[in-house]
Amino acid sequence: MNDLISRRKVLGCLVAGAVASLASACGGGDDGSGGAVDAAAVDAQRNSKSGTTTFAVTSPAQNATATSTFTVSGTAGTAWVNVAIYSGSTKLSADVTPSGGKWSATVNMGTLTGAQTLTVMAFSVAAGKVGGTSTSTALSVMISAAAATPPATTSTGTPFYGVCGHYASGQFGTQAQYIADATGMGLKVARLDGYSTSNMTTIANQISAYAPMVIQPIFGQYPSSSSTETAAYNQFFALGVAGANLFAGKVPMVELMNEPDN
């Protein structure tokens, strides 16, 4: 009977689930460690298979705040050879190839701000190749708006941001309201056009009323009733001299012409 395999022992070997163990334990005796070795082997095989398909984002954390350009990093098993990041159907990153089980991609959000949910995808084929499989994970981030750029200045310190107006030709109601509206919006420059010597004189006489805004007058006069090019040139030159004298020492610049194509 010692050479016979009992029914109980065979069933025990089958439960262990390993044919090699059955041959060893049932044919040469069991030292009590066979079952444990089999379980460890099964676990190792399972973990190895899982490691080839695992894919995760490790940075940034979910719901983290990021700028319009930031880096996303993670891990990827050997099944994945390409990673890219999307917002809907819009691709936000270049294709990257995992190395050593890790990957990192730079995301450019463009004009997207606020709460965003990105799709981070891994592919089993290289970029541009068809077929294969894919997996994905969602990444929620809060994209902060870009800081406002301070107004640019010229070498004389004149602010750039301003408003174009036509006060001298009577299109903006009272001057007081015009100034209040412009300064209330934080504007630093008032661009005012003058289509006649009278307009230019009005602007020149009111420069102090616009303080602290800087006035940028527009020389918008045109020659008229000139029969020849020389006559037009002489008339226009005289108008320019008159305008320059009106604003000399009062403004940092004079803009020449407004929509001359008209």
Side-chain angles (χ1 to χ4, degrees), residues 164-169 171 191-196 199-200 203 216-220 258:
C164 178
H166 307 276
Y167 172 74
S169 54
Q171 298 182 28
R191 179 179 181 265
L192 303 176
D193 47 11
Y195 296 109
S196 66
N199 281 170
M200 300 290 275
I203 294 171
Q216 179 181 311
I218 307 168
F219 182 71
N258 181 61

Side-chain angles (χ1 to χ4, degrees), residues 15-160:
V15 171
V19 174
S21 297
L22 178 64
S24 174
C26 298
D30 190 351
D31 62 1
S33 62
V37 171
D38 294 338
V42 171
D43 289 342
Q45 185 178 12
R46 182 184 298 112
N47 292 337
S48 174
K49 183 178 180 180
S50 176
T52 64
T53 58
T54 184
F55 178 70
V57 172
T58 57
S59 177
Q62 291 288 342
N63 302 310
T65 298
T67 59
S68 60
T69 301
F70 63 100
T71 300
V72 179
S73 303
T75 57
T78 55
W80 311 118
V81 299
N82 179 43
V83 177
I85 302 171
Y86 301 81
S87 174
S89 60
T90 302
K91 193 174 184 178
L92 302 178
S93 76
D95 294 286
V96 296
T97 302
S99 177
K102 297 181 179 180
W103 56 269
S104 180
T106 299
V107 175
N108 187 344
M109 299 297 296
T111 59
L112 296 175
T113 59
Q116 302 290 331
T117 299
L118 310 183
T119 301
V120 186
M121 296 196 69
F123 303 89
S124 64
V125 294
K129 301 294 183 179
V130 298
T133 59
S134 66
T135 187
S136 66
T137 183
L139 173 63
S140 297
V141 290
M142 178 66 70
I143 305 301
S144 58
T149 304
T153 60
T154 67
S155 58
T156 59
T158 304
F160 174 76

